[in-house]
Structure formats: C-alpha cells, structure tokens
Amino acid sequence: MSTLPAGHIELERAVDSIGVGRRHRQDYGDLAPLVESIRRNGLLQPITITLDGHLICGARRLAAIRQLGWKTVNVWVRSGVSDRLGQLLAEQDDNLLHKPLTQFEAAALYRELKTLLAEDAARRQEASRFHTAADAAEDGDVKLTAPWDTTPGEAAVQAALMVTGRDSHTTLERIGRLEDLAADPSQPEAVRQRAAAEVERIKAGGKVYPAHLRVNAELSLAELDRLAADPTQPDEARAQARTEAAQLRAAVEREARAAELEQLAKDALARVKAAKATGRKPSKRPALSAVEPGEAVPFPLTMFVATWDDMAGWWLHHDPQHVGPALSEEQWSRFEETIAGTVAFADTARTARAEAERAEHIA
C-alpha cells in the first residue's frame, strides 16, 4: 500500500473529471503491461492532481485506468502547485521516475521550463530590490524543490539539467530550431523540407549534430540562391553565387558528410559576400580544395571531430551477420580499405600523440 506524501490528501475521484491538459509527453509507449498490472494488482501508486482536478503525475496510469473502464479512482490531491512552473516541475519529477521522454518531448519541456525559469528569476530579482529577504521567502506558494537562485542567463543550462540530468541545452536548442524551421512559412520550401526530413531522421534514431549541420548548409544554399536572383547585387557577385550554389548542390547530391557540407557552404557564402563587397570575382580558390589535382582535400580538425562524433557507436546499430553477406564486392572492398586506412591513421596519430606528451613532460 502506498504511503501518503506530506502535503497531500487522498480522495476518490471520478475518472472523467480529471483533466490532463497540455503535457509534453506525447508517446505513452506500450500500455499493455501497465494495464495488466493494474487489472491484476490494483493501482499501487495513486495518480496526483491539483485541487481543481488538473493532473500532475500519472498520465500513463490514468490512460491505463481509462482503458480498463474504471469510473472512479483514488487520487492524491496536492496543494501549493498553482502556477505553470510548479506543474512543470512536478511533471518532470514524474517523468524521471517513469517512462523517459523522447528527445522531442524533452526539447518541448526544456523550452517551456527555460522560459518560465528565466521569467521567475527576473521577477524575483526585481522583487528583491524592494523587499527584505523575509518578504522574498513568502513570494509565491510553490514549495517544490527548485533552483530559485537561478539567474535569467542560467535558465537554459538549469532547464536542461532538470529535463535530462546533464547540460544538454545546446542539443535541445538545436532540436527546437529544427522544428521551428520546418514549421516556419517564411523560410524557403527547400529549407522547410530539409528541416522536416532531419526531424524525422532524428526520430528514427539519427544524431542531432549532423542534422543541425545539414540544415545550416541548406540555409546557406537558400541565401546563395537569393543572392543569385537579386538584381540589385553586382553582376560578378550574382554569377559567383550561381556557381557556388551549383557546386554546393553537387555536394548535397553526392551525400557529403554533414561537417564537410557545412564547411563548403560557409566558404561558398563567404566568397560570394567578398565578391559582393568588391564588385568583382574573388581570386582565391576554395578553402577546401586539393593542393594538386588528384590529391585528397585537406579537412580541418573540426571536421575530423564531427565525423567521429557522427560515427560514435555505429557498430551497435548494425548486425554483422546481415551486413557481411549483403554487401557487394565493391562495397566490401571499400569497407575493408576504410578499416585498413583507419587503423594505419590511428597508429600514426597515436605515435604523434605520445611524442607530443613526452615533449611536454620534458619541457
């Protein structure tokens, strides 16, 4: 039997009278095991609601109860959770104890928490100018554990820690940006389609950072197209923009790696802006070009790091028993060549790293 927490009362409530409202969890997962558990053992932990019947904790349990056709259910009624921030904090406490949020549910919860934490911090800072510390302690009736000393500038980090348990605010911001771009009617159709495609790729298990880079490249391509079509731009700049856009599209079509693609896009846009400023075609060659024809293009260290970030744990997502027989001779040969080159590269890099460490100790 569950123990009634402090600050709660237990009542019997009509199931239909409990309002779920707007919550960040959209995917309840497979409810069948939970439904069967409640059917067999009853509800071991009551759901929690506010005084006015708004659900705080237990959305999956409530969904299971409704599937069972229950008319009434025992609930814990909690006072002191009257504002939106308090409800979000209670919702997140429930999420930490039960089915984890998806990345997009976490991003939506993070975004709202960040805004509310920043607003709350600003309000409390403003109030502290005119009230004593004792007065400030009485400001608001939410008594949940929360970082009330958060400053508006720290809200993003604090919200990410609360939602995911780590400082993942950059990743959560990128997810939100992809969703915004996909839904923004002011963006070119190609940008919206690319952002929407990357959202679906992430939902299917893709990584956020490469998706972010590919969308950045698409935005740069849209800007190149805009400059190429702008009659107010110098002729040389428009011609340069058309050329750079064609080259960037070719890189997209050959499915260049995300980091390479973004770097190409940045360099292309920089060259066109240089042509726009001078009114003539820049004489410099692209930054990512081979020194001699036929030589490999030298990439910056950031691209190396991004490539291996993208490859992290790749072997966990593929079945070697399936991959081995499924590859063609050409594909297998390319794979073997890549592995051999990687091992040789790692050996050389490891030696260089050890020599650098020895030199540092000697110095």
Side-chain angles (χ1 to χ4, degrees), residues 184-206:
D184 186 354
S186 68
Q187 292 293 337
E189 184 63 23
V191 171
R192 295 176 62 190
Q193 289 181 357
R194 168 62 69 179
E198 296 300 341
V199 166
E200 293 306 315
R201 186 184 298 213
I202 293 170
K203 288 180 178 178

Side-chain angles (χ1 to χ4, degrees), residues 226-250:
R226 186 192 68 78
L227 291 171
D230 186 354
T232 66
Q233 299 298 328
D235 290 343
E236 290 293 344
R238 295 178 63 190
Q240 183 75 8
R242 284 192 293 271
T243 300
E244 299 290 357
Q247 293 176 351
L248 186 55
R249 280 195 173 86

Side-chain angles (χ1 to χ4, degrees), residues 334-354:
R334 191 160 57 244
F335 172 70
E336 291 271 29
E337 182 181 353
T338 300
I339 293 297
T342 300
V343 171
F345 182 95
D347 288 342
T348 304
R350 189 180 298 110
T351 300
R353 184 181 180 87

Side-chain angles (χ1 to χ4, degrees), residues 56-91:
I56 298 175
C57 303
R60 297 183 77 243
R61 280 167 280 160
L62 180 59
I65 286 167
R66 285 175 169 162
Q67 284 191 22
L68 288 168
W70 288 16
K71 300 301 181 185
T72 61
V73 63
N74 282 355
V75 299
W76 287 339
V77 181
R78 182 170 184 171
S79 60
V81 188
S82 58
D83 66 2
R84 181 60 180 159
L85 179 55
Q87 291 170 8
L88 283 176
L89 294 173
E91 180 183 340

